[in-house]
Amino acid sequence: MFSKRALELKESSTLKASDRAKQLKAQGKDIISLTLGEPDFPTPSPIVDYAKTALDQGKGHHYTPAGGLLEVREAIAKFKKCHTISDMTFIIKILINTI
């Protein structure tokens, strides 16, 4: 027996979209699914190497500061000086999705 609240739960829209992408792919459609964040290729070696080095240097073992890492904030400020508002909107969307 389930509680009323449990019975009112709705299907995850993310899982639903992922299932749909898989169905379309199985039908032979050229689909790139960005639903679950799980790439269908291995992480590129330069990223893996950088992550290993950062971990060996003691980085990445704890949560980052709530205000973000200084080096990232500085890189964003530098980027902002050289790019348009639409470029910034794009990078902000990336940052929000990775935080």
Side-chain angles (χ1 to χ4, degrees), residues 6 14-15 18 23-25 29 36 40 49 53-56 58-59 61-64 71 74 90 93-94:
T14 304
L15 293 176
S18 177
Q23 290 171 352
L24 292 171
K25 206 169 199 174
K29 306 240 188 246
L36 296 177
D40 59 356
D49 295 340
T53 301
L55 289 168
D56 288 342
K59 297 178 182 178
H61 293 278
H62 303 283
Y63 289 114
T64 56
E71 64 186 300
E74 288 173 343
F90 175 73
K93 287 180 182 176
I94 291 172

Side-chain angles (χ1 to χ4, degrees), residues 2-42:
F2 293 102
S3 70
K4 180 181 176 191
R5 188 171 181 188
L7 292 171
E8 291 173 353
L9 289 173
K10 303 226 183 306
E11 178 182 11
S12 162
S13 56
T14 304
L15 293 176
K16 187 175 180 179
S18 177
D19 289 344
R20 182 69 177 134
K22 287 176 188 174
Q23 290 171 352
L24 292 171
K25 206 169 199 174
Q27 294 172 11
K29 306 240 188 246
D30 187 16
I31 299 294
I32 298 173
S33 177
L34 303 176
T35 56
L36 296 177
E38 184 65 35
D40 59 356
F41 53 88

